[in-house]
Amino acid sequence: MLSKYIEKAMKLYKNIDGLAAVDKEGIIRYYFNYRPNINPLSAEDALNKHVLDVFPSLDEQSSTLLTVLRTGEPILNYFQEYDNCIGVRIKAINTTMPLTDANGQLIGAIDVSVYITNEHDRLSIVQNKPANPANLFTASDIITKDEHMIQLKDNLLKIASTSSSVLIYGETGTGKELFAQSIHSASKRKDGPFIVQNCSAIPNTLLESIFFGTVKGSYTGAENRKGLFELADSGTLFLDEINSMDINMQSKILRVLEEKKVRRIGCEKDVAFDVRIISAVNEKPEVVLNQGKVRTDLYYRLSPVQITIPPLRERKSDIPFLTDYFINYFNKTMHRNILGITEDALEVLRNYSWAGNVRELKNIIEGCFNIVDDGFLTRENIPAYLLASIKYYENTPIDDDSRSLDQRVKAFEKDIIIKTLTQHRTLSAAARALSITRQNLRYKLEKYEIDIEKMIEEK
């Protein structure tokens, strides 16, 4: 369970310097410090100790972790100065959130820290920064030979010429943000900000403050901070996985979009904004509507223009093309001299179902580059789970299973991962056994909702 909270906490800031989690008694059960050059406090110094013993300059009132344990309410972007138990003074921006079990009962709190050295750093951390237009993708970055994808690229230029809202549907890893950036880059708003928010990454308790902004003093830890609509003014706001947003929050978003005005939490004045909304869902639009994951009125507000990105398994002609592209890319970034891929290895890639789409293909090629220095990528370099899935389906009669090919591939891949996890004590060891990167394994654990902590407990 804790791993899921950590994944979400890691997305709160662009760079994370420290993470700490306490149980409901205030005992530190998880601690990781990413910048020991600034804060030399180690896990050995902190674990299984009370938070006030580790940070003696704090007390019940000034400790954000203990305050959240007491109130059950999150504290956002809170500036603190404190001494740790080894005598080092730290300045940090902290966001602290309650941890709850499946029944909603408080079981602890988690704190995310960004260390700072001056006031300028403090301001840059609490204010989201728009993406640099020079670093955004354009339509030319969409690598394809598929006729349908080529038509989509042509349509992007027409769509970019208007300010209509756009809804993009595509499975995980198909490149929804790539399309969103390409629309922005070709539009009259290209010199304005491009703001991205993954709606699945925001705890419900933080939604309003992130979208609408805050006024300093409106609640504990609140700073003067623009919300997403103000940040994206004159530009584009890309809302990814809108189908994961709390339904009550959706009604508030709808009202803001209709009025084109937003009011920060704790403020009495409305602020007008001019923003183009591009949103994305990773499930079929009819499914999210039928299951009530997106309000009908909000859906129609967001979807005057709809784009459907086909999965990689439906455009197999792109697999050799993309493979060559990623080989060239990693040759440059990883300083390798890979000449290409053998035909039998490429045939394996063609026959795989690609549940993770282009992102998974990229991760596979990157994993191969970690074990090959030069020459050609061969069948032997391809991860074991992928080879096993191909072999499994080659030897399994189709009539033995009524599920679709994609469903069976996903089920088999999940089974391989679970079996591997039961045989290895760490994620790194499991990733090595599967011949994939640790990051790729993390992605698959999240995709298949495999609880790594539960697996370890049951071991």
Side-chain angles (χ1 to χ4, degrees):
M1 179 182 293
L2 182 59
S3 62
K4 294 181 180 178
Y5 280 103
I6 292 174
E7 289 288 341
K8 287 192 174 184
M10 293 287 284
K11 297 176 182 177
L12 288 174
Y13 299 114
K14 183 177 181 181
N15 298 301
I16 298 297
D17 294 330
L19 267 174
V22 299
D23 62 21
K24 61 182 180 181
E25 305 300 327
I27 305 300
I28 296 176
R29 299 302 185 188
Y30 180 90
Y31 177 84
F32 198 90
N33 173 25
Y34 294 90
R35 298 183 71 184
N37 58 317
I38 294 178
N39 179 15
L41 188 73
S42 67
E44 184 178 351
D45 297 321
L47 287 177
N48 302 315
K49 298 177 183 177
H50 193 273
V51 64
L52 296 186
D53 292 330
V54 178
F55 304 107
S57 65
L58 300 175
D59 56 29
E60 292 280 347
Q61 302 303 317
S62 58
S63 166
T64 58
L65 283 165
L66 296 182
T67 300
V68 169
L69 287 178
R70 187 172 61 254
T71 65
E73 298 294 328
I75 296 176
L76 314 178
N77 297 326
Y78 189 68
F79 174 69
Q80 282 188 300
E81 293 188 48
Y82 51 87
D83 297 323
N84 59 32
C85 60
I86 60 174
V88 176
R89 188 158 187 82
I90 301 297
K91 296 181 180 180
I93 296 289
N94 293 336
T95 285
T96 312
M97 299 178 293
L99 299 178
T100 56
D101 61 17
N103 298 318
Q105 298 297 311
L106 186 71
I107 59 172
I110 187 168
D111 181 82
V112 182
S113 298
V114 180
Y115 305 144
I116 63 176
T117 57
N118 55 59
E119 187 65 18
H120 175 74
D121 287 345
R122 177 181 175 183
L123 292 174
S124 67
I125 291 168
V126 299
Q127 293 178 351
N128 291 324
K129 293 292 184 181
N132 183 348
N135 298 326
L136 295 178
F137 290 114
T138 67
S140 62
D141 294 306
I142 300 174
I143 307 301
T144 185
K145 283 189 173 180
D146 179 77
E147 290 184 5
H148 181 60
M149 288 287 288
I150 292 172
Q151 183 62 54
L152 284 181
K153 288 178 64 172
D154 292 340
N155 289 342
L156 288 186
L157 299 178
K158 302 173 186 176
I159 294 169
S161 66
T162 75
S163 290
S164 298
S165 296
V166 180
L167 178 69
I168 302 174
Y169 161 60
E171 295 178 6
T172 297
T174 49
K176 296 184 287 294
E177 185 173 344
L178 170 58
F179 272 73
Q181 288 191 19
S182 298
I183 293 172
H184 174 82
S185 297
S187 74
K188 63 182 180 181
R189 298 173 179 269
K190 63 183 179 181
D191 294 324
F194 180 84
I195 303 294
V196 181
Q197 181 60 60
N198 186 323
C199 298
S200 69
I202 315 175
N204 289 341
T205 50
L206 305 184
L207 282 170
E208 287 195 50
S209 61
I210 289 176
F211 272 92
F212 304 148
T214 55
V215 172
K216 187 173 183 178
S218 56
Y219 56 84
T220 305
E223 298 271 353
N224 288 324
R225 183 173 181 271
K226 293 181 178 180
L228 295 175
F229 293 104
E230 286 187 77
L231 288 168
D233 188 38
S234 77
T236 302
L237 175 58
F238 176 53
L239 303 177
D240 197 9
E241 297 190 33
I242 191 75
N243 50 306
S244 66
M245 181 185 289
D246 177 73
I247 203 73
N248 293 321
M249 185 63 186
Q250 290 184 26
S251 64
K252 298 178 181 180
I253 296 293
L254 176 63
R255 182 169 182 174
V256 168
L257 293 178
E258 289 175 340
E259 296 179 352
K260 295 186 178 180
K261 293 180 181 179
V262 66
R263 181 179 299 182
R264 296 188 195 180
I265 296 175
C267 185
E268 297 180 355
K269 296 181 179 180
D270 291 333
V271 177
F273 62 85
D274 174 26
V275 172
R276 183 179 197 172
I277 304 294
I278 301 178
S279 53
V281 292
N282 55 9
E283 300 175 281
K284 292 181 178 179
E286 59 268 27
V287 172
V288 300
L289 281 174
N290 292 337
Q291 295 182 358
K293 294 182 179 181
V294 177
R295 287 174 56 107
T296 303
D297 46 7
L298 178 62
Y299 173 81
Y300 289 117
R301 168 67 67 172
L302 295 175
S303 61
V305 179
Q306 295 189 31
I307 295 174
T308 298
I309 306 175
L312 187 57
R313 63 182 174 276
E314 293 181 6
R315 45 188 177 103
K316 293 293 183 75
S317 62
D318 274 348
I319 291 176
F321 195 38
L322 287 166
T323 299
D324 286 342
Y325 174 82
F326 290 135
I327 287 174
N328 290 331
Y329 173 80
F330 287 119
N331 271 333
K332 294 177 182 177
T333 59
M334 299 178 71
H335 308 292
R336 296 286 196 271
N337 187 31
I338 304 300
L339 301 176
I341 185 169
T342 61
E343 186 57 36
D344 61 336
L346 188 58
E347 188 62 22
V348 172
L349 301 186
R350 287 194 186 102
N351 290 330
Y352 184 56
S353 68
W354 298 111
N357 291 289
V358 179
R359 183 187 296 129
E360 186 177 10
L361 175 59
K362 180 181 180 181
N363 288 340
I364 293 296
I365 302 302
E366 181 180 1
C368 291
F369 266 69
N370 277 273
I371 57 176
V372 178
D373 291 320
D374 53 28
F376 286 84
L377 300 183
T378 69
R379 187 184 178 101
E380 288 69 33
N381 305 138
I382 293 176
Y385 82 89
L386 195 153
L387 290 170
S389 69
I390 298 298
K391 183 178 180 181
Y392 174 83
Y393 287 108
E394 287 176 347
N395 297 315
T396 301
I398 294 176
D399 293 339
D400 287 356
D401 198 327
S402 60
R403 295 172 296 176
S404 70
L405 176 63
D406 182 51
Q407 289 172 327
R408 282 180 277 171
V409 168
K410 288 179 179 178
F412 183 65
E413 184 177 49
K414 181 177 181 179
D415 184 58
I416 291 174
I417 292 172
I418 290 174
K419 286 180 180 178
T420 304
L421 288 171
T422 61
Q423 298 168 2
H424 298 83
R425 189 172 296 275
T426 67
L427 275 181
S428 297
R432 285 194 296 271
L434 292 168
S435 298
I436 61 177
T437 64
R438 193 173 185 274
Q439 180 183 12
N440 196 2
L441 179 56
R442 271 284 186 194
Y443 156 71
K444 291 180 182 296
L445 292 176
E446 183 175 343
K447 180 176 72 173
Y448 293 125
E449 298 182 345
I450 300 173
D451 192 333
I452 180 62
E453 289 193 351
K454 184 178 180 181
M455 295 292 300
I456 292 174
E457 291 171 359
E458 291 179 349
K459 184 174 172 62

